[in-house]
Amino acid sequence: MPFFMSIPNVPFHKPRLVLRVLLVALAVLLLLALGLFAFVQVKLGAINRVSASDYDDADASVSAVSSWEPTEWADAGIATSVDGVVNVLLVGQDTRTGERSNSDTMIILSINKNTEQISIVSLMRDIYVQIPGYANNKLNAAYLLGGFDLLDGTIATNFGVVIDYNIEVDFEGFKDIVDTLGGIDVEMYQEEADYINGKLDQDTLTEGVNHLTGEEALWYARTRKVGNADFERTERQREVLEIIYEDLKDASWLKLLQVYDSVADNVTTDMTNTQILNIAFSAYSMGKNELNSYRLPIDGTWHSEDSVGSVTDPLVIDDWEANQQALWNYLYGESDTTEADSSADVSE
């Protein structure tokens, strides 16, 4: 009898075995995915959430300005969104009092997938603007009066661009980010170093590159009594953001998680978890090495006033159309937009 005729007639079950292995593998992957999803949801759940109803008790008592207006308002048109571009307004404020106050910092973070550019644009807090439903006032008053919604509406009314989402980080959160990163390296001139040393009762900072703690970095970013007042302060704020961005994009996932844990309870946003993840992955996928940095108003388009009615020291824009066009170019145009952050004379 031939040899092959002696092999027992055993059913061949290999396809069934492969199917079982695949099903087990899929089950494991599903459990891991669900576990990761639950982990992410729990982590993102630590962020404070806000909605329009949280601002229903806003103080509406704003003194009216005089009939004389030192500016000609340019119609910004209907603010529209652009596909592929997400604008997130970063708001910084001092919440030591436990209450909402004027926004100390307003920076638009724009992620443009069309041009693959990430840009940050400082909006000077003293810009004299039209605030929907209220008397004309400084831009930073809009946040006090109506939170994110009114601030977004004010930007849309005056500049013609849509703010999609908002993130507020208080000063404690800012310090925690820097400290968790182990500090940041910042180059400063002697007057800046002396000012911060004086505020913190120390003598450790000198002219040149300094490794700053969170507390020192906060004073550096908030300083406007050294140099060119608020113009230079907004430049410092963007400089610090760029340094933090550089450190974060090279950080390990463990370090990123540590940074997130350190700041989450000091962050307030109107974004859902899904929106946060989508924006984060969009920005991460671009792999940009640097941020485009700008400031409004642009040079040669504004002047200062001692007061307008009850509003003291406003920064009055003379050419709104130029600033509206500049902001549009920064957010939606090509990456070679002319830099608008040359040193401006506050006495202009």
Side-chain angles (χ1 to χ4, degrees):
M1 177 181 297
F3 177 75
F4 68 86
M5 296 292 290
S6 65
I7 299 176
N9 187 19
V10 178
F12 188 67
H13 297 305
K14 186 174 181 180
R16 191 178 302 171
L17 178 61
V18 171
L19 180 60
R20 287 179 181 175
V21 172
L22 287 175
L23 288 175
V24 171
L26 287 174
V28 171
L29 289 175
L30 180 60
L31 289 173
L32 289 174
L34 289 174
L36 179 60
F37 177 79
F39 176 78
V40 171
Q41 295 300 311
V42 169
K43 285 294 184 182
L44 292 179
I47 297 176
N48 301 306
R49 308 297 167 137
V50 67
S51 63
S53 61
D54 293 310
Y55 301 122
D56 288 344
D57 60 349
D59 181 9
S61 59
V62 180
S63 300
V65 298
S66 63
S67 58
W68 172 74
E69 287 291 340
T71 186
E72 292 186 9
W73 305 105
D75 183 10
I78 299 175
T80 57
S81 297
V82 173
D83 289 342
V85 182
V86 175
N87 297 323
V88 180
L89 184 65
L90 308 179
V91 177
Q93 75 154 358
D94 187 351
T95 56
R96 288 175 298 184
T97 61
E99 299 177 355
R100 191 172 69 251
S101 60
N102 291 343
S103 46
D104 191 76
T105 300
M106 291 162 288
I107 297 176
I108 300 175
L109 167 65
S110 183
I111 302 168
N112 189 328
K113 292 192 289 186
N114 301 324
T115 60
E116 295 191 343
Q117 299 294 315
I118 302 177
S119 302
I120 50 177
V121 185
S122 294
L123 302 178
M124 301 283 289
R125 67 183 212 168
D126 291 335
I127 297 174
Y128 187 65
V129 295
Q130 303 172 86
I131 301 180
Y134 296 86
N136 302 334
N137 208 320
K138 294 180 180 180
L139 180 59
N140 67 347
Y143 186 68
L144 171 65
L145 295 170
F148 288 149
D149 280 358
L150 185 58
L151 182 52
D152 294 348
T154 300
I155 292 172
T157 296
N158 291 272
F159 294 103
V161 300
V162 170
I163 300 298
D164 299 292
Y165 307 110
N166 301 268
I167 298 176
E168 178 207 307
V169 180
D170 65 31
F171 292 159
E172 287 302 316
F174 174 85
K175 290 191 294 185
D176 289 341
I177 292 174
V178 174
D179 285 334
T180 305
L181 285 171
I184 59 175
D185 292 329
V186 176
E187 185 172 3
M188 60 182 65
Y189 52 84
Q190 190 63 54
E191 192 176 359
E192 292 172 321
D194 291 343
Y195 180 80
I196 299 171
N197 282 335
K199 286 295 183 181
L200 298 178
D201 193 22
Q202 63 183 33
D203 59 1
T204 57
L205 303 180
T206 61
E207 184 174 9
V209 176
N210 292 268
H211 192 71
L212 305 186
T213 65
E215 183 77 17
E216 291 168 338
L218 178 61
W219 275 108
Y220 177 77
R222 293 193 66 194
T223 297
R224 62 172 176 170
K225 294 185 177 179
V226 175
N228 198 4
D230 208 34
F231 286 88
E232 196 164 329
R233 181 174 72 157
T234 60
E235 185 177 353
R236 292 189 189 99
Q237 291 169 351
R238 295 194 308 281
E239 177 190 0
V240 170
L241 278 181
E242 292 176 69
I243 293 171
I244 291 175
Y245 174 78
E246 286 291 320
D247 289 347
L248 288 177
K249 70 182 181 64
D250 295 328
S252 66
W253 284 104
L254 178 59
K255 176 60 70 173
L256 292 175
L257 186 59
Q258 291 173 340
V259 171
Y260 172 81
D261 285 338
S262 74
V263 74
D265 59 354
N266 290 308
V267 172
T268 300
T269 186
D270 53 6
M271 288 190 285
T272 66
N273 290 350
T274 300
Q275 290 165 341
I276 293 173
L277 289 173
N278 286 340
I279 292 172
F281 282 122
S282 292
Y284 181 79
S285 64
M286 290 183 186
K288 301 302 294 181
N289 291 324
E290 60 184 24
L291 305 176
N292 300 322
S293 177
Y294 308 105
R295 178 259 298 156
L296 286 185
I298 58 177
D299 294 345
T301 65
W302 61 274
H303 73 276
S304 59
E305 292 281 348
D306 291 335
S307 64
V308 181
S310 61
V311 180
T312 58
D313 299 320
L315 192 159
V316 178
I317 292 180
D318 301 312
D319 190 342
W320 275 98
E321 290 183 354
N323 283 276
Q324 291 161 0
Q325 185 61 55
L327 181 57
W328 185 270
N329 291 340
Y330 299 156
L331 304 183
Y332 307 119
E334 299 300 328
S335 60
D336 60 353
T337 303
T338 301
E339 171 64 55
D341 198 34
S342 57
S343 180
D345 184 354
V346 294
S347 64
E348 179 176 308

